[in-house]
Amino acid sequence: MKEIVGSLILALGIIIGAGVFGDYYYKAKGVTTPSVKATGIASKEFVSDTVKWKLSLENLAPVDNKNIGYTNVQKQVDALTEYLANEGIDKKDITINPPTNYAEYGREGQIVGYRVSQQLLVISKNMEKIENMALRPASLDSLGLSFGMTNLEYFYSGIDELKKEL
């Protein structure tokens, strides 16, 4: 009789333990309801409707007067923003970042001057005008600009709807 009671207790313990372990495993997997996941690849051609022109204007200043560099870069920024406004680019489409500078070194390791630069971002829907200015900088030559870096990036404002469609 003691053997039967002992066997029943052991069997009951194994059943309860298996149930607890199964419940823990099920919850650990995070399965709340049966579901199906699907992933795939889709593509569709679209035309960008916004362009970002990132450029920096720069000037080399003498060792003893970094302010000349800041003044000259500010003149370039003013000339470019005025030119862009005359070309129909809205001032709200132009972001001007603070100027930066770094030392220029000569062959013997001495500082020979400072390169002062200022970055501008032009984000516009007027892609044709921005592309023409960026890709044909000779049209800006009369402004006396000294570009340090320039590049174009393209965006599509309806990308969220396109993702849903795909």
Side-chain angles (χ1 to χ4, degrees), residues 7-8 13 16 27 41 58 66 87 97-98 104 114 117 120 122 138 153 160 164:
S7 297
L8 287 174
I16 291 173
K27 287 179 181 175
I41 298 173
E58 61 183 31
K66 208 184 301 180
E87 289 294 313
N97 291 328
E104 288 280 323
Y114 292 93
S117 66
L120 287 86
V122 182
E153 296 177 24
D160 290 334
K164 290 176 187 175

Side-chain angles (χ1 to χ4, degrees), residues 11-25:
L12 187 61
I14 290 173
I15 292 171
I16 291 173
V20 169
F21 177 74
D23 185 54
Y24 171 76
Y25 181 78

Side-chain angles (χ1 to χ4, degrees), residues 137-151:
S139 64
L140 303 170
D141 219 19
S142 64
L143 301 175
L145 304 178
S146 177
F147 292 105
M149 179 271 309
T150 179
N151 73 335

